[in-house]
């Protein structure tokens, strides 16, 4: 591209050469843009994978700390003067209540899910319009001309059929 004779402003090149050069430049530009997009997406995917791995590791560590926190809570209640068994039952009951609360919230969110009413109404409206639609009638002269060209029926008398057929119908018949 450093050749000064290849610039678009050079008057020694023909229009065809200019168009070819422009096409080549556009093709190179599109390829470069695609390569840049791939590099950006690859980088974003890598960041997303690292981020999701970090969240998974944090979740696993949190899951492993739950038994320790449960024992600590139970022994903390036991130190307040309650029996050890009752302390563990209180902690287990707290977890059961927490699980029931989370399940109740989840159930309420599921009940709020509705079918896509706008999409269904639009689809029904489109179906109703298409059901009532009728094909556009062609004028009889145009239909006769199409039938004549397709060769599906003999040409009317007086048109000089046979040798005077147009080449389009001959090509159509030869291709089938």
């Amino acid at each position: 591209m450093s050749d000064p004779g290849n610039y678009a402003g050079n008057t020694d090149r023909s229009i065809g050469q200019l168009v070819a050069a422009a096409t080549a430049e556009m093709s190179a530009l599109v390829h470069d843009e695609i390569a840049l997009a791939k590099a950006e997406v690859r980088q974003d995917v890598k960041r997303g994978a690292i981020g999701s791995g970090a969240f998974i590791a944090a979740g696993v560590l949190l899951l492993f700390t739950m038994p320790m926190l449960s024992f600590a809570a139970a022994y903390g209640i036991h130190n307040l003067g309650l029996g050890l068994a009752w302390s563990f039952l209180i902690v287990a009951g707290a977890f059961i209540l927490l699980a029931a609360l989370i399940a109740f919230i989840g159930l309420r969110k599921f009940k709020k899910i509705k079918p896509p009413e706008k999409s269904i109404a639009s689809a029904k409206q489109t179906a109703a319009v298409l059901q009532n639609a009728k094909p556009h009638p062609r004028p009889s002269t145009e239909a006769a001309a199409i039938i004549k060209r397709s060769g599906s029926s003999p040409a009317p008398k007086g048109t000089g059929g046979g040798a005077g057929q147009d080449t389009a119908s001959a090509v159509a018949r030869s291709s089938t």
Side-chain angles (χ1 to χ4, degrees):
M1 284 197 200
S2 63
D3 182 21
N6 285 339
Y7 289 124
N10 191 355
T11 58
D12 296 343
R13 294 175 26 178
S14 69
I15 292 178
Q17 290 171 334
L18 291 174
V19 169
T23 304
E25 292 294 325
M26 286 299 293
S27 176
L29 179 64
V30 168
H31 286 289
D32 290 344
E33 290 293 327
I34 291 172
L36 177 63
K38 283 181 181 178
E40 288 176 346
V41 167
R42 192 175 302 122
Q43 187 177 18
D44 287 342
V45 166
K46 184 178 178 183
R47 286 180 185 156
I50 291 171
S52 63
F55 275 120
I56 290 171
V60 167
L61 288 176
L62 184 62
L63 183 66
F64 287 156
T65 61
M66 289 304 294
M68 288 183 242
L69 290 175
S70 299
F71 277 102
Y75 280 111
I77 295 172
H78 175 65
N79 283 337
L80 294 176
L82 204 58
L84 192 59
W86 288 109
S87 300
F88 276 99
L89 283 174
I90 290 171
V91 171
F95 280 136
I96 289 171
L97 287 176
L98 184 64
L101 177 67
I102 292 172
F104 177 70
I105 291 171
L107 185 63
R108 284 187 51 203
K109 292 293 182 183
F110 275 124
K111 285 186 176 183
K112 287 183 180 179
I113 295 174
K114 297 178 183 176
E117 295 169 357
K118 290 180 182 178
S119 299
I120 291 171
S122 176
K124 286 181 180 179
Q125 183 181 12
T126 302
V129 167
L130 291 177
Q131 200 172 33
N132 295 332
K134 296 179 181 172
H136 187 277
R138 294 183 176 173
S140 62
T141 57
E142 185 179 329
I146 291 172
I147 291 172
K148 178 182 169 190
R149 278 184 280 164
S150 69
S152 61
S153 66
K157 294 180 182 176
T159 60
Q165 292 179 348
D166 61 6
T167 56
S169 64
V171 170
R173 276 196 301 271
S174 67
S175 66
T176 56

